[in-house]
Amino acid sequence: MSVNRRDLLRGAAATAVASTLPARMFAQTTVAQSEGVHLQTLSDGTLSLPRSFITGAMPAEADEILARYGVTGDALTPDCNVTLLQSGDRTVLFDVGSGTEFMPTAGKLADALAAAGVDPYDVTDVIFTHAHPDHLWGSFDDFGDMWFPNATHHIGRAEWDYWTDPNTVSTIGTERQTFAVGAANRLGELSDQISLFDDGAEIISGIAARATYGHTPGHMSFETRVGNQSVMIVGDAIGNHHVGFERPEWASGSDQDADLGASTRLKLLDQLNTDQMLLVGYHLPNGGIGYAEKRGNGYHFVSAS
């Protein structure tokens, strides 16, 4: 029996699950479930970011907020939560992590999928919130092959148009040029399996696109039905559980369009709080699952796990 390179990678992932990496790398947190439908998050690991990436030019009060959440150093290490939906004959991933070429602390999704008993060949749909490295680069394995070869890959039309525009790399700013090159290359490789959608579209049954622009020009969130429960998968529209909730109106250094990102965050948090809707945030703690609770002039992330 011959063994191909994908089989070798899958075998390596299974070995890692058994022995070599800490258990938290394979954290699975159930978001919601109903008859025949199961929604959970899987860990792709963590990032290591400079504090200024979040705070940017925020007032000094940002330091006070961060200190209350135990963030006192110069680096932030946010979680990366990939959402997995299993419903009938559909196995859907919302974003795919960063692969092994971005940061050594991230790119653990292959191991998390193996721990969850999900074969990459069985994934039917990949739905991208946006095309940043920690959400897109995991589309390919270490050999440059697609991790999910049988999946339709869905991305918002505005996001696709932006990252595939050859002018983007020269206009995005030097600090994000590697993002532009990486996105253009990978989206180009995925082009035969890409399906584009617009705001409000029902991508597949029970999953509707909601425009949440600002973090990137075409960032999307997704309202997903699980039985009689509605869950909003917000990606990076709300990028952290401290400043982003308490002072959502402040411009964040992580957003490409900081003013639009702040406006989007305010509207989204208001909706989530008013509707008491469960949310999943890509970089929020404890699997990223919880609620937005209004407190004073801001909000508070209430973890559901």
Side-chain angles (χ1 to χ4, degrees), residues 180-206:
V181 173
N185 289 343
R186 289 165 175 82
L187 291 174
E189 291 292 323
L190 291 170
S191 59
D192 288 343
Q193 292 180 245
I194 285 286
S195 176
L196 302 180
F197 60 85
D198 297 304
D199 179 31
E202 186 174 42
I203 302 167
I204 59 178
S205 179

Short mmCIF file of all heavy atoms in Angstrom, two decimals, residues 180-206:
data_model
loop_
_atom_site.label_atom_id
_atom_site.label_comp_id
_atom_site.label_asym_id
_atom_site.label_seq_id
_atom_site.Cartn_x
_atom_site.Cartn_y
_atom_site.Cartn_z
N ALA A 180 -0.84 41.12 2.32
CA ALA A 180 -1.38 41.27 0.97
C ALA A 180 -0.81 40.22 0.03
O ALA A 180 -1.55 39.60 -0.75
CB ALA A 180 -1.10 42.68 0.45
N VAL A 181 0.50 40.02 0.09
CA VAL A 181 1.13 39.03 -0.78
C VAL A 181 0.62 37.63 -0.45
O VAL A 181 0.27 36.85 -1.35
CB VAL A 181 2.66 39.09 -0.65
CG1 VAL A 181 3.32 37.95 -1.41
CG2 VAL A 181 3.19 40.43 -1.16
N GLY A 182 0.57 37.31 0.84
CA GLY A 182 0.10 35.99 1.25
C GLY A 182 -1.33 35.73 0.86
O GLY A 182 -1.68 34.63 0.41
N ALA A 183 -2.19 36.74 1.01
CA ALA A 183 -3.61 36.58 0.65
C ALA A 183 -3.76 36.39 -0.85
O ALA A 183 -4.49 35.51 -1.31
CB ALA A 183 -4.42 37.77 1.13
N ALA A 184 -3.09 37.23 -1.64
CA ALA A 184 -3.21 37.14 -3.10
C ALA A 184 -2.76 35.77 -3.59
O ALA A 184 -3.42 35.15 -4.44
CB ALA A 184 -2.40 38.25 -3.75
N ASN A 185 -1.64 35.29 -3.07
CA ASN A 185 -1.12 33.99 -3.52
C ASN A 185 -2.07 32.85 -3.17
O ASN A 185 -2.37 31.99 -4.00
CB ASN A 185 0.25 33.73 -2.89
CG ASN A 185 1.33 34.61 -3.47
OD1 ASN A 185 1.16 35.19 -4.54
ND2 ASN A 185 2.46 34.73 -2.77
N ARG A 186 -2.55 32.85 -1.95
CA ARG A 186 -3.40 31.73 -1.51
C ARG A 186 -4.79 31.78 -2.13
O ARG A 186 -5.33 30.74 -2.51
CB ARG A 186 -3.45 31.70 0.02
CG ARG A 186 -2.13 31.26 0.64
CD ARG A 186 -2.03 31.57 2.12
NE ARG A 186 -0.80 31.04 2.70
CZ ARG A 186 0.39 31.65 2.61
NH1 ARG A 186 0.49 32.81 1.96
NH2 ARG A 186 1.45 31.11 3.17
N LEU A 187 -5.36 32.97 -2.26
CA LEU A 187 -6.66 33.06 -2.90
C LEU A 187 -6.56 32.68 -4.38
O LEU A 187 -7.49 32.07 -4.93
CB LEU A 187 -7.23 34.47 -2.74
CG LEU A 187 -7.65 34.85 -1.31
CD1 LEU A 187 -8.07 36.31 -1.26
CD2 LEU A 187 -8.78 33.96 -0.80
N GLY A 188 -5.45 33.03 -4.99
CA GLY A 188 -5.25 32.61 -6.37
C GLY A 188 -5.23 31.11 -6.51
O GLY A 188 -5.82 30.55 -7.44
N GLU A 189 -4.56 30.43 -5.57
CA GLU A 189 -4.50 28.97 -5.60
C GLU A 189 -5.88 28.34 -5.34
O GLU A 189 -6.18 27.24 -5.81
CB GLU A 189 -3.50 28.46 -4.56
CG GLU A 189 -2.05 28.77 -4.88
CD GLU A 189 -1.55 27.99 -6.10
OE1 GLU A 189 -1.95 26.82 -6.27
OE2 GLU A 189 -0.79 28.57 -6.90
N LEU A 190 -6.71 29.05 -4.59
CA LEU A 190 -8.04 28.53 -4.26
C LEU A 190 -9.11 28.90 -5.29
O LEU A 190 -10.26 28.47 -5.16
CB LEU A 190 -8.48 29.08 -2.90
CG LEU A 190 -7.75 28.59 -1.64
CD1 LEU A 190 -8.17 29.43 -0.44
CD2 LEU A 190 -8.02 27.11 -1.40
N SER A 191 -8.76 29.67 -6.29
CA SER A 191 -9.76 30.32 -7.15
C SER A 191 -10.75 29.35 -7.78
O SER A 191 -11.92 29.69 -7.96
CB SER A 191 -9.07 31.15 -8.23
OG SER A 191 -8.24 30.33 -9.04
N ASP A 192 -10.31 28.14 -8.11
CA ASP A 192 -11.22 27.18 -8.75
C ASP A 192 -12.28 26.65 -7.78
O ASP A 192 -13.28 26.07 -8.21
CB ASP A 192 -10.44 26.00 -9.33
CG ASP A 192 -9.64 26.38 -10.57
OD1 ASP A 192 -9.93 27.44 -11.16
OD2 ASP A 192 -8.71 25.63 -10.92
N GLN A 193 -12.05 26.84 -6.49
CA GLN A 193 -13.00 26.32 -5.50
C GLN A 193 -13.63 27.43 -4.66
O GLN A 193 -14.23 27.17 -3.62
CB GLN A 193 -12.31 25.30 -4.60
CG GLN A 193 -11.94 24.02 -5.35
CD GLN A 193 -11.24 23.00 -4.49
OE1 GLN A 193 -10.09 22.67 -4.69
NE2 GLN A 193 -11.98 22.47 -3.52
N ILE A 194 -13.50 28.67 -5.14
CA ILE A 194 -14.04 29.81 -4.43
C ILE A 194 -15.47 30.11 -4.88
O ILE A 194 -15.78 30.09 -6.06
CB ILE A 194 -13.16 31.07 -4.66
CG1 ILE A 194 -11.87 30.98 -3.84
CG2 ILE A 194 -13.91 32.34 -4.32
CD1 ILE A 194 -12.04 31.23 -2.36
N SER A 195 -16.31 30.41 -3.90
CA SER A 195 -17.66 30.89 -4.13
C SER A 195 -17.79 32.26 -3.45
O SER A 195 -17.51 32.38 -2.26
CB SER A 195 -18.70 29.91 -3.57
OG SER A 195 -20.01 30.43 -3.71
N LEU A 196 -18.19 33.27 -4.21
CA LEU A 196 -18.30 34.62 -3.67
C LEU A 196 -19.73 34.91 -3.23
O LEU A 196 -20.69 34.38 -3.79
CB LEU A 196 -17.87 35.64 -4.72
CG LEU A 196 -16.45 35.49 -5.28
CD1 LEU A 196 -16.17 36.57 -6.33
CD2 LEU A 196 -15.41 35.54 -4.18
N PHE A 197 -19.87 35.76 -2.22
CA PHE A 197 -21.21 36.12 -1.73
C PHE A 197 -21.19 37.58 -1.30
O PHE A 197 -20.12 38.18 -1.10
CB PHE A 197 -21.62 35.22 -0.57
CG PHE A 197 -20.70 35.29 0.62
CD1 PHE A 197 -20.85 36.26 1.60
CD2 PHE A 197 -19.67 34.37 0.77
CE1 PHE A 197 -20.00 36.33 2.69
CE2 PHE A 197 -18.81 34.42 1.86
CZ PHE A 197 -18.98 35.40 2.82
N ASP A 198 -22.37 38.15 -1.15
CA ASP A 198 -22.53 39.54 -0.72
C ASP A 198 -23.26 39.60 0.61
O ASP A 198 -23.79 38.59 1.10
CB ASP A 198 -23.31 40.32 -1.79
CG ASP A 198 -22.57 40.38 -3.12
OD1 ASP A 198 -21.42 40.84 -3.13
OD2 ASP A 198 -23.16 39.94 -4.14
N ASP A 199 -23.28 40.78 1.19
CA ASP A 199 -23.95 40.98 2.47
C ASP A 199 -25.41 40.53 2.39
O ASP A 199 -26.13 40.81 1.43
CB ASP A 199 -23.89 42.47 2.83
CG ASP A 199 -24.60 42.78 4.14
OD1 ASP A 199 -24.61 41.91 5.03
OD2 ASP A 199 -25.13 43.91 4.27
N GLY A 200 -25.84 39.79 3.40
CA GLY A 200 -27.22 39.32 3.47
C GLY A 200 -27.47 37.98 2.82
O GLY A 200 -28.55 37.41 2.99
N ALA A 201 -26.49 37.47 2.09
CA ALA A 201 -26.68 36.21 1.38
C ALA A 201 -26.77 35.05 2.36
O ALA A 201 -26.09 35.03 3.40
CB ALA A 201 -25.54 35.97 0.42
N GLU A 202 -27.62 34.08 2.04
CA GLU A 202 -27.62 32.81 2.77
C GLU A 202 -26.63 31.91 2.06
O GLU A 202 -26.89 31.42 0.96
CB GLU A 202 -29.01 32.17 2.80
CG GLU A 202 -29.05 30.93 3.68
CD GLU A 202 -30.44 30.35 3.86
OE1 GLU A 202 -31.19 30.31 2.86
OE2 GLU A 202 -30.78 29.96 4.99
N ILE A 203 -25.48 31.71 2.68
CA ILE A 203 -24.38 31.02 2.03
C ILE A 203 -24.72 29.56 1.83
O ILE A 203 -24.58 28.99 0.75
CB ILE A 203 -23.10 31.20 2.85
CG1 ILE A 203 -22.79 32.69 2.99
CG2 ILE A 203 -21.92 30.46 2.20
CD1 ILE A 203 -21.74 32.99 4.01
N ILE A 204 -25.10 28.92 2.91
CA ILE A 204 -25.73 27.61 2.87
C ILE A 204 -26.89 27.67 3.86
O ILE A 204 -27.02 28.64 4.60
CB ILE A 204 -24.74 26.46 3.20
CG1 ILE A 204 -24.13 26.64 4.59
CG2 ILE A 204 -23.64 26.37 2.17
CD1 ILE A 204 -23.20 25.52 4.99
N SER A 205 -27.73 26.69 3.87
CA SER A 205 -28.93 26.75 4.69
C SER A 205 -28.59 27.02 6.16
O SER A 205 -27.78 26.32 6.77
CB SER A 205 -29.69 25.42 4.59
OG SER A 205 -30.86 25.43 5.38
N GLY A 206 -29.18 28.09 6.69
CA GLY A 206 -28.99 28.42 8.10
C GLY A 206 -27.80 29.28 8.40
O GLY A 206 -27.54 29.58 9.57
#
